[in-house]
Amino acid sequence: MAIKITDECINCGACEPECPNNAIYEGGVEWAIADGTTVKGAFVLMDGSTMDADQRNTPISVDTYYIVPNKCTECQGFHEEPQCAAVCPVDCCVPDEMYQETVDELIAKKDKMHF
């Protein structure tokens, strides 16, 4: 499953540079699939819809850092554990129960973003 950042976030920013998928954004910042990945053109999201990789999207949060679920792979294929959770001083990077994915699915997502 993807990781999410809870309301306990203190906006320290420690998590953002640790993400190998560039899935973490500062509150209020627009995001795109192409940010920090090799994806170009159409990208199929987890819900089956398609989005242009360069499309700028509305921030998921305006007040705190946030994680884009369609880009989060729990660091599978990069690290032994989610790096955001490992560096978070207040333990606000937790599994997002809304996005249930197997390790194989997370690796496949990683492979789609970094080819």
Side-chain angles (χ1 to χ4, degrees), residues 22-81:
N22 202 79
I24 302 174
Y25 292 82
E26 186 175 357
V29 174
E30 293 182 339
W31 64 274
I33 295 292
D35 295 341
T37 72
T38 58
V39 178
K40 297 191 182 335
F43 184 83
V44 178
L45 302 173
M46 293 183 325
D47 67 3
S49 63
T50 303
M51 168 187 294
D52 182 80
D54 290 317
Q55 175 183 321
R56 304 308 299 171
N57 298 282
T58 304
I60 294 172
S61 173
V62 294
D63 297 324
T64 59
Y65 279 81
Y66 65 90
I67 298 174
V68 176
N70 279 286
K71 295 178 72 175
C72 179
T73 63
E74 287 189 40
C75 295
Q76 290 292 325
F78 294 104
H79 304 286
E80 293 293 318
E81 64 181 336

